[in-house]
Amino acid sequence: MPDGAPKVLDVRNLNTVFRTRTGEVHAVNRVSFDLEKGELLGVVGESGSGKSVTMMSLIRLIPSPPAEIRSGQVLFDGMDLLEVDDDTLRDIRGARIGFVFQDPMTSLNPVFTVGFQLREPLMRHMGMNRREADRRAAELLELVGIPDAARRLRDYPHQFSGGMRQRVMIAIALACDPEVLIADEPTTALDVTIQAQILELVRELRQKLGMAIIWITHDLGVIAGIADRVMVMYGGQVVEEAPVRALFKEPRHPYTRALLETIPHVRGKRAERLEVIEGQPPILGAAPTACPFRDRCAAAVEICGRENPALREVGARHRVACHLSDTGAGSGAAPEPEGAHV
Amino acid sequence: MLNYTIRRLLFAIPVLLFISFIIFLILDLAPSDPTGNLPLTIPPEVREKIRQSLGLGEPMYWRYLMWCKQFFINEPLNIWDQWMGTCSFNCEDRLRVVSYVTRSPVVDLIVERLPQTLWVVGMSYVVGILIAIPIGVISAYRQYSWFDQAGTFVSMVGFSVPPFFSGVLVIVIFSVQLGWFPSIYDTTLKVVDWDTFVLQLKQMVLPVMVLALQTTAQISRFMRASMLDNLNMDYVRTARAKGMKERTVLLVHVLRNSLIPVVTVIALGVPSVFGGAIITEQVFKVNGIGQLLIIGIQGGDAPLVQTLTFIFAVLIVLANLIADILYGILDPRIRYD
Ligand SMILES: Nc1ncnc2c1ncn2[C@@H]1O[C@H](COP(=O)(O)OP(=O)(O)OP(=O)(O)O)[C@@H](O)[C@H]1O
Ligand SMILES: [Mg+2]
């Protein structure tokens, strides 16, 4: 990806808080990142690290209450999506920003046909009539690889398998040729062969349609295969962000390194045992005042408990939030990067 | 679906026959006497003669079979003849189900009184549902708003205040104190022009209000709970992510799903509403079938009570069937075959 390509999405200092009966949960803390035109940004992080909440906050899809977007800016085409009125936002959702959700089994409405649910955005945003929308819907289903598309439009979601439903979700998200596609673990619920097919499909579509994609996943192997850039999240924060090669070659954050070590190596010598990261991810009752990873970090020093490190530049488009990363003090203490051969 | 319906209807026949027999048994075991309401001066021998002439001397099973023949064979034949203007199978000596007390055919009595009940009770059910569904939708969408709180309060009142109390209360307020509406339902009123139509509306207001309060209370709670269940579903988020208008999300996506359980409740509620109308008809002096049933019970009029109760049983069985069919129509995941 050439440097300085125009940004389609620029997120600055996003903070999202859930107000629950037992107190606040700070799910997203000062998250900043951007997305360039045509780029595929991979987002990784363990369960509960705030990936979904971050992405849903971008287009205010987060249920509020209980959620509250405390601050931040989401710049898209000269607008701040957190400030624009509801009508403008609705014109953007589904038309210029498509969203694929985590769970394909429940994300489609069970009482309407797939055709109906595919036609909806087409008729809403593209001003198509019923017949045009029908034709386009069939094209879309074909595009995502569902055979016999025209006939399947009349079927209900329960007549599709999980993988098919996820394809339908992708078709819905792609319906209006969005500039940005946000895919939240679109392949996690699927078996490996279907996963591969969907990845192939996205790669193809990206080339054909030239949209920017945010791809959330737990699977670093997938990231290595398709992403241009990677963003690692931990405790509702971005802890590291880098071009994909740099991240795998030279991970700077202890969490990223640990994450890369958890990948079982298929090629090369077999690992003795599967690496795990000891400890639990934090649930933040208040805005963090210390590094959220310090309790699980082998290299933690005194300052880590005192101050929450901010993201800083450590290389070409490589940013990391760690007290030990700037002076090079951290690199000595940490093990050699392991994931280079992934 | 058609197969399923036919199967269910066929299955309903033995069920209903069994129910009719149970009703007959219970009525027969009850110590009521059709001559009990006659003047005390009538001597016991005459009373016994009257009983014999009513057929009470026959054995129980015989009287049951006679009722079955009269109700299941003679009455339908009679309706057929009346429609076609014919006289099939020597209609002259065909015995119909006849009331002990008035000696007139029971079915004619019911047909005569059904319109009043349908007007008042049916209307109140429809009104109740039409009010309840929007209330449920808005209460769920604006959960814990003042509207929702007010709705909760009114439902609680509707649930807990029985119609014989709320009926008297609205009579005291609206017809005695304010004089806006009549307290008695005049069944002789014929709607011929605008003025009589207004009168008819006016006399319907109070009973409909009382009955609709109950219906609204129940259905709106169901609707609210069902909407709340669905509002948290993932597909709602998908609809929003597609950029659909909030109105579409709510009234197309969520409403359709939420209505599935509610429609069942509505269908199953139809018979119980007829039952509940018995009291309201008494309070407002509506001479509908509820009142007819009370008169029948008081007069020991077994054929009348038997027939009316059996019609209620048919209503309940039909309501169950309709509920199941509607369920299958509304929810594509359910297939009866
Ligand atoms: N409705 C909610 N109420 C309270 N807290 C919530 C709610 N939804 C999410 N959270 C909290 O927000 C945090 C981030 O959740 P999120 O769903 O973004 O995680 P994730 O990174 O997407 O995880 P996964 O990989 O499992 O999908 C979690 O700690 C979770 O407890
Ligand atoms: Mg998630």
Side-chain angles (χ1 to χ4, degrees):
Chain A
M1 198 51 40
D3 219 31
K7 290 174 183 176
V8 272
L9 205 58
D10 192 357
V11 180
R12 294 180 190 166
N13 195 30
L14 184 68
N15 287 277
T16 303
V17 175
F18 286 95
R19 293 163 161 222
T20 65
R21 228 171 292 171
T22 51
E24 294 188 340
V25 176
H26 288 247
V28 177
N29 299 303
R30 20 177 250 200
V31 166
S32 302
F33 67 92
D34 53 30
L35 185 69
E36 289 172 359
K37 202 169 180 319
E39 167 186 55
L40 197 150
L41 175 69
V43 180
V44 288
E46 24 297 59
S47 202
S49 56
K51 306 181 297 288
S52 303
V53 176
T54 303
M55 296 314 155
M56 283 194 268
S57 299
L58 299 188
I59 46 173
R60 285 161 31 194
L61 266 184
I62 198 90
S64 68
E68 188 188 311
I69 300 175
R70 282 272 161 86
S71 64
Q73 280 182 311
V74 178
L75 301 176
F76 174 78
D77 192 18
M79 293 174 278
D80 181 355
L81 296 187
L82 301 182
E83 295 293 329
V84 296
D85 60 281
D86 289 351
D87 282 335
T88 313
L89 187 64
R90 272 193 283 270
D91 286 341
I92 293 172
R93 286 179 185 166
R96 304 182 61 188
I97 300 182
F99 214 118
V100 180
F101 293 99
Q102 207 162 344
D103 190 351
M105 300 313 269
T106 56
S107 290
L108 289 167
N109 193 328
V111 303
F112 292 104
T113 61
V114 160
F116 176 89
Q117 300 184 57
L118 252 171
R119 280 195 305 272
E120 260 188 343
L122 294 169
M123 290 162 80
R124 158 96 173 80
H125 298 296
M126 318 271 275
M128 292 186 180
N129 62 29
R130 163 89 203 240
R131 175 165 320 149
E132 291 162 345
D134 238 354
R135 193 173 320 130
R136 173 90 177 119
E139 275 172 27
L140 282 163
L141 276 197
E142 219 147 282
L143 185 76
V144 296
I146 291 180
D148 205 3
R151 198 181 51 80
R152 302 286 333 238
L153 284 179
R154 285 192 299 272
D155 285 348
Y156 289 91
H158 72 273
Q159 290 161 297
F160 288 75
S161 70
M164 295 262 213
R165 279 187 230 183
Q166 194 59 290
R167 286 157 191 255
V168 173
M169 285 301 297
I170 294 176
I172 290 175
L174 294 177
C176 306
D177 291 337
E179 289 142 66
V180 177
L181 175 73
I182 303 176
D184 190 351
E185 302 190 31
T187 56
T188 312
L190 311 177
D191 68 63
V192 187
T193 41
I194 303 197
Q195 239 182 55
Q197 287 173 22
I198 291 196
L199 283 175
E200 195 45 49
L201 171 75
V202 168
R203 219 175 313 198
E204 236 171 69
L205 291 176
R206 207 178 127 212
Q207 234 136 54
K208 219 185 290 179
L209 310 173
M211 64 194 156
I213 301 177
I214 298 177
W215 189 280
I216 303 177
T217 180
H218 287 279
D219 191 340
L220 285 164
V222 170
I223 292 284
I226 61 168
D228 299 313
R229 228 156 29 102
V230 189
M231 178 164 104
V232 182
M233 290 191 70
Y234 186 84
Q237 270 170 252
V238 179
V239 293
E240 184 159 6
E241 193 201 312
V244 66
R245 303 202 55 167
L247 188 100
F248 278 94
K249 232 192 188 122
E250 272 185 85
R252 300 295 289 265
H253 196 281
Y255 176 65
T256 315
R257 289 192 202 130
L259 210 57
L260 291 175
E261 275 160 23
T262 60
I263 307 176
H265 304 142
V266 178
R267 280 165 296 169
K269 85 170 167 53
R270 211 185 184 87
E272 305 288 271
R273 59 184 190 92
L274 214 57
E275 293 289 333
V276 289
I277 307 176
E278 298 292 336
Q280 290 293 317
I283 291 179
L284 299 163
T289 53
C291 173
F293 190 58
R294 69 185 183 286
D295 290 338
R296 299 166 76 186
C297 180
V301 293
E302 183 264 338
I303 191 174
C304 303
R306 229 173 347 104
E307 208 177 291
N308 190 10
L311 273 180
R312 64 195 102 188
E313 205 91 17
V314 292
R317 313 196 65 216
H318 193 152
R319 297 190 301 158
V320 62
C322 179
H323 290 301
L324 306 171
S325 67
D326 47 355
T327 54
S331 11
E336 274 302 295
E338 269 275 339
H341 53 284
V342 173
Chain B
M1 188 69 91
L2 186 66
N3 263 335
Y4 172 81
T5 311
I6 291 169
R7 226 173 36 228
R8 279 283 300 265
L9 282 174
L10 287 179
F11 186 69
I13 292 172
V15 171
L16 284 171
L17 274 176
F18 183 71
I19 292 175
S20 75
F21 183 65
I22 298 286
I23 297 171
F24 196 88
L25 263 185
I26 293 174
L27 286 179
D28 197 63
L29 289 173
S32 69
D33 181 357
T35 65
N37 276 358
L38 296 178
L40 286 170
T41 48
I42 296 177
E45 315 85 67
V46 181
R47 283 172 193 268
E48 188 51 35
K49 278 225 176 83
I50 294 174
R51 272 190 221 114
Q52 294 297 330
S53 73
L54 291 175
L56 280 168
E58 312 282 349
M60 211 274 296
Y61 75 89
W62 182 253
R63 278 180 285 131
Y64 174 65
L65 288 180
M66 285 308 289
W67 179 82
C68 283
K69 175 170 181 265
Q70 290 163 2
F71 186 78
F72 292 118
I73 300 171
N74 292 358
E75 291 293 350
L77 278 177
N78 192 57
I79 292 171
W80 171 262
D81 282 351
Q82 267 179 3
W83 263 12
M84 312 303 283
T86 55
C87 180
S88 46
F89 307 109
N90 50 333
C91 59
E92 308 303 316
D93 355 307
R94 193 190 297 138
L95 281 178
R96 303 180 60 191
V97 185
V98 173
S99 157
Y100 284 167
V101 177
T102 62
R103 308 301 297 153
S104 52
V106 166
V107 173
D108 292 355
L109 284 177
I110 294 173
V111 167
E112 194 176 281
R113 285 171 174 250
L114 199 57
Q116 283 86 276
T117 297
L118 282 184
W119 264 109
V120 175
V121 181
M123 187 60 92
S124 64
Y125 203 51
V126 172
V127 168
I129 292 166
L130 288 182
I131 297 174
I133 288 182
I135 289 183
V137 171
I138 299 170
S139 301
Y141 192 62
R142 303 230 174 280
Q143 198 186 1
Y144 305 134
S145 63
W146 68 265
F147 184 92
D148 185 27
Q149 310 280 8
T152 308
F153 180 74
V154 171
S155 307
M156 205 178 64
V157 171
F159 256 120
S160 46
V161 177
F164 59 78
F165 180 79
S166 52
V168 174
L169 190 70
V170 295
I171 287 179
V172 169
I173 295 175
F174 292 105
S175 58
V176 177
Q177 299 289 333
L178 298 171
W180 289 354
F181 306 110
S183 69
I184 293 178
Y185 189 93
D186 177 10
T187 19
T188 57
L189 183 73
K190 290 253 177 325
V191 178
V192 285
D193 52 16
W194 178 249
D195 287 345
T196 49
F197 178 70
V198 171
L199 273 180
Q200 171 70 16
L201 276 187
K202 270 181 137 179
Q203 65 176 356
M204 277 171 58
V205 167
L206 291 186
V208 166
M209 198 155 90
V210 167
L211 282 171
L213 177 67
Q214 267 201 319
T215 312
T216 307
Q218 293 171 14
I219 308 281
S220 69
R221 290 283 95 180
F222 269 111
M223 195 64 215
R224 177 179 180 273
S226 185
M227 287 289 289
L228 282 177
D229 276 350
N230 278 286
L231 274 170
N232 288 323
M233 295 288 198
D234 287 350
Y235 68 76
V236 179
R237 198 178 52 192
T238 307
R240 291 200 174 116
K242 289 195 284 190
M244 304 317 293
K245 297 220 168 67
E246 210 49 25
R247 196 156 38 107
T248 314
V249 173
L250 203 64
L251 298 184
V252 177
H253 287 266
V254 182
L255 186 63
R256 172 83 185 266
N257 279 279
S258 309
L259 274 178
I260 294 172
V262 175
V263 162
T264 315
V265 171
I266 290 174
L268 290 177
V270 171
S272 67
V273 166
F274 276 88
I278 294 171
I279 292 162
T280 314
E281 286 185 359
Q282 289 294 109
V283 172
F284 290 99
K285 309 264 182 312
V286 182
N287 60 348
I289 52 176
Q291 205 195 32
L292 186 64
L293 183 65
I294 301 253
I295 295 171
I297 292 170
Q298 284 166 347
D301 196 345
L304 179 61
V305 179
Q306 162 87 20
T307 309
L308 264 178
T309 320
F310 182 71
I311 289 176
F312 282 134
V314 173
L315 269 179
I316 292 172
V317 171
L318 275 184
N320 266 294
L321 177 64
I322 290 172
D324 282 350
I325 292 175
L326 281 177
Y327 208 100
I329 292 175
L330 285 174
D331 191 341
R333 284 163 297 185
I334 293 177
R335 280 283 164 264
Y336 304 114
D337 20 60

